[in-house]
Amino acid sequence: MDFRDELPVDHRLARVYRVGAGLCGAALLVFGCLGLADGLAFFSTSGEPVAGLSSNGLLSLISIVTAGALIAGAVIGGNIASTVNIVVGTLFVLSGFVNLALLDSGANVLSFRIPNVIFSFAMGLLIATFGMYGRVSAKLPHDNPYWRHRHPVTAPAGHRPPAAAATLGPRRPDGPAA
């Protein structure tokens, strides 16, 4: 079984995934570049303000790498962009929880403060929402490619996934497959 065979391709939702990954990646890239341009100490636990958030060189570098992953997902597009958004969004939320626990300790190597934690939660939820849009819901419309893929028997004949269409055969107008 190939992962690419399990997900629908070339659908209109891909634009949402690409735009979300691109916009969030661009914001993180700007934040990271501003931090590196300020010449921040790499492992400072006190941090310096950059765009309203506390940052150090390590956080700036991580922001640039993360932005690169999101922008690469946006360039590739499709299900890859969606999956990258979901993974990166989840990692942002987890990072918020971990760094919340590390506030005011010597282990706070990313020099997080409360605004950074709130930003991490908000950005993580935003990125993950872009990735899950139209993909994860109990009430997807019947013309949604993910719904059609999950319900190959009830999907109209012209909208079945290729594997399901070959397995089920042609549909009779009055009932199930012939």
Side-chain angles (χ1 to χ4, degrees), residues 3-5 9 13 25 31 39 41-42 47 50-51 80 85 89 106 111 122 127 144 149 157 159 177:
F3 178 68
R4 291 172 294 201
D5 294 338
V9 294
L13 295 172
F31 174 75
F42 206 73
V50 173
I80 299 295
N85 284 347
S111 69
I127 294 170
N144 182 291
H149 186 77
H159 297 288

Side-chain angles (χ1 to χ4, degrees), residues 28 62 65-66 69-70 83-99 110 112 116-117 119-125 127-128 132:
L28 289 172
I62 290 171
V65 169
T66 305
L70 285 169
T83 303
V84 167
N85 284 347
I86 293 170
V87 169
V88 170
T90 302
L91 291 174
F92 257 85
V93 172
L94 290 175
S95 169
F97 282 119
V98 168
N99 285 295
L110 297 178
F112 262 52
N116 295 67
V117 171
F119 175 81
S120 185
F121 287 146
M123 183 63 98
L125 290 174
I127 294 170
M132 289 187 253

Side-chain angles (χ1 to χ4, degrees), residues 6-27:
E6 294 300 314
L7 298 173
V9 294
D10 297 332
H11 49 85
R12 66 182 184 271
L13 295 172
R15 186 177 306 126
V16 174
Y17 308 145
R18 291 181 99 160
V19 168
L23 289 176
C24 294

Side-chain angles (χ1 to χ4, degrees), residues 3-169:
F3 178 68
R4 291 172 294 201
D5 294 338
E6 294 300 314
L7 298 173
V9 294
D10 297 332
H11 49 85
R12 66 182 184 271
L13 295 172
R15 186 177 306 126
V16 174
Y17 308 145
R18 291 181 99 160
V19 168
L23 289 176
C24 294
L28 289 172
L29 184 63
V30 168
F31 174 75
C33 288
L34 287 173
L36 288 182
D38 284 347
L40 300 176
F42 206 73
F43 290 109
S44 169
T45 56
S46 60
E48 295 292 326
V50 173
L53 300 172
S54 177
S55 185
N56 63 12
L58 181 60
L59 182 58
S60 296
L61 183 63
I62 290 171
S63 297
I64 291 172
V65 169
T66 305
L70 285 169
I71 292 170
V75 168
I76 295 168
N79 296 320
I80 299 295
S82 172
T83 303
V84 167
N85 284 347
I86 293 170
V87 169
V88 170
T90 302
L91 291 174
F92 257 85
V93 172
L94 290 175
S95 169
F97 282 119
V98 168
N99 285 295
L100 181 62
L102 296 177
L103 287 177
D104 298 326
S105 74
N108 187 7
V109 295
L110 297 178
S111 69
F112 262 52
R113 301 287 174 253
I114 288 295
N116 295 67
V117 171
I118 294 169
F119 175 81
S120 185
F121 287 146
M123 183 63 98
L125 290 174
L126 179 66
I127 294 170
T129 300
F130 273 122
M132 289 187 253
Y133 182 79
R135 185 173 175 174
V136 179
S137 174
K139 296 186 179 187
L140 293 174
H142 295 279
D143 66 338
N144 182 291
Y146 292 98
W147 184 91
R148 288 192 314 255
H149 186 77
R150 293 177 194 142
H151 303 88
V153 174
T154 57
H159 297 288
R160 288 188 207 143
T167 306
L168 296 174

